[in-house]
Amino acid sequence: MNSPPPEKPPLPVVPEGVDVSVPNVARMYDYLLGGKDNTLIDRACADEVVRQVPPVREIAWANRRFLGRAVRFLAGERRIRQFIDIGAGLPGQENVHEIAQRADPESRVVYVDHDPIVLAHARALLARDSRTVAVEGDVRKPADILADAEVRGLIDFAQPVALLLLAVLHFVTDAEHPHQVVATLLAALPPGSCLVISHLHRDPVLHPLVDCYEGATSPAVPRTTAEIAAFFDGLKLVEPGLVGLRRWRPDEWILASDPDVPILGGVAVKL
Ligand SMILES: C[S@@+](CC[C@H](N)C(=O)[O-])C[C@H]1O[C@@H](n2cnc3c(N)ncnc32)[C@H](O)[C@@H]1O
């Protein structure tokens, strides 16, 4: 007798209200990093970016590796035990809570993103213990994030916090006041807290990327070094300051001969 056909795997769930006909910046980034959580339209748009800006995959990887080095530095040298990661993105390798909880299993991590698909994945794959939560929030509404019950339930705002804003502020337009956003978030954190930012640099090589992202869920806004440095106003940047990501405390993955990428990053301490 023939055995019954194998059961089909369930179709991926698309949360209500999600438009899969628009390239999505979280899923494009996932695709650029070799992930599987993306659709045809995300891949088509990302492939077009790669065609026009060949180093874009390297930019994505440089960003992800900077995230890892920065969190290891914060959890290790700075002994920070609380992290708020806004614009957290789809789960990948070496997520923030995995790095932080390796340094100290008691470390607490809040992942925040405004994308419902990111949230669904983060809740299923990242927020699997009582010290890790995933919260829906829009970085353009910092007061709402700070007032969120789950954020306040996990984070002790009397103790140093690491605020992670990686590859997200370049999705906030000038009209949406990104510097004010960062200032509002920082004002809620005590001295000893740290800010980590990575941000696309205004380099002519990225002009076609800006055009491609025009049709995506968020437009991309590369900024000048001075504009990115202004996010750290009033804080003390740790060495080596605001630099191309491959120059920030490089590890064994980075060769001295590797060209730098047009994305800047830094880590700073609130005094
Ligand atoms: C390029 S990914 C970066 C992911 C992660 N931070 C990293 O560096 O690996 C950008 C993320 O920011 C999120 N994002 C974009 N605009 C946002 C907003 N206004 N509020 C919250 N998240 C946002 C996207 O949904 C996406 O997950």
Side-chain angles (χ1 to χ4, degrees):
M1 204 172 83
N2 288 340
S3 52
E7 258 182 47
K8 277 192 185 163
L11 288 170
V13 178
V14 178
E16 210 179 317
V18 173
D19 186 350
V20 284
S21 67
V22 177
N24 175 289
V25 300
R27 298 194 305 257
M28 286 167 66
Y29 180 67
D30 172 72
Y31 175 63
L32 291 170
L33 290 172
K36 304 261 180 294
D37 298 320
N38 45 71
T39 66
L40 201 60
I41 190 116
D42 308 317
R43 295 192 286 276
C45 187
D47 282 339
E48 182 58 18
V49 181
V50 173
R51 203 178 64 74
Q52 299 206 34
V53 186
V56 76
R57 283 185 204 281
E58 291 177 43
I59 295 173
W61 274 109
N63 183 62
R64 199 66 200 172
R65 294 206 167 115
F66 168 69
L67 170 71
R69 298 198 301 283
V71 174
R72 276 194 291 280
F73 165 76
L74 295 167
E77 281 185 47
R78 303 285 320 176
R79 306 193 62 75
I80 300 240
R81 296 294 178 259
Q82 313 187 88
F83 295 79
I84 302 178
D85 180 6
I86 306 181
L90 286 156
Q93 296 166 10
E94 287 287 272
N95 299 293
V96 172
H97 74 289
E98 291 159 345
I99 303 172
Q101 290 171 0
R102 244 188 340 253
D104 182 344
E106 295 303 314
S107 297
R108 281 160 282 150
V109 177
V110 177
Y111 291 108
V112 183
D113 207 287
H114 74 156
D115 185 306
I117 293 191
V118 170
L119 250 289
H121 283 253
R123 287 197 171 117
L125 296 173
L126 303 179
R128 302 181 79 160
D129 62 61
S130 59
R131 293 172 300 282
T132 312
V133 297
V135 170
E136 184 160 7
D138 190 319
V139 73
R140 295 166 297 184
K141 297 179 182 165
D144 290 358
I145 294 175
L146 293 168
D148 183 277
E150 278 191 281
V151 174
R152 299 212 83 82
L154 197 68
I155 300 294
D156 175 359
F157 283 89
Q159 298 299 320
V161 175
L163 173 62
L164 311 180
L165 294 168
L166 283 106
V168 65
L169 291 171
H170 51 231
F171 295 123
V172 181
T173 65
D174 289 347
E176 293 165 332
H177 308 295
H179 293 88
Q180 187 55 48
V181 161
V182 175
T184 302
L185 291 166
L186 283 172
L189 308 182
S193 295
C194 293
L195 171 66
V196 185
I197 285 177
S198 64
H199 196 298
L200 288 176
H201 194 213
R202 193 176 301 158
D203 182 310
V205 79
L206 293 183
H207 288 166
L209 177 146
V210 173
D211 293 342
C212 291
Y213 274 78
E214 271 303 311
T217 45
S218 304
V221 188
R223 293 193 164 88
T224 64
T225 305
E227 288 169 333
I228 301 170
F231 288 119
F232 296 101
D233 274 356
L235 309 183
K236 186 175 183 340
L237 275 162
V238 304
E239 284 298 321
L242 177 65
V243 291
L245 294 189
R246 282 186 174 154
R247 305 291 160 246
W248 198 89
R249 300 181 182 229
D251 59 14
E252 68 278 10
W253 290 96
I254 300 168
L255 302 174
S257 57
D258 281 343
D260 216 340
V261 280
I263 178 165
L264 303 187
V267 177
V269 184
K270 182 172 177 178
L271 300 174

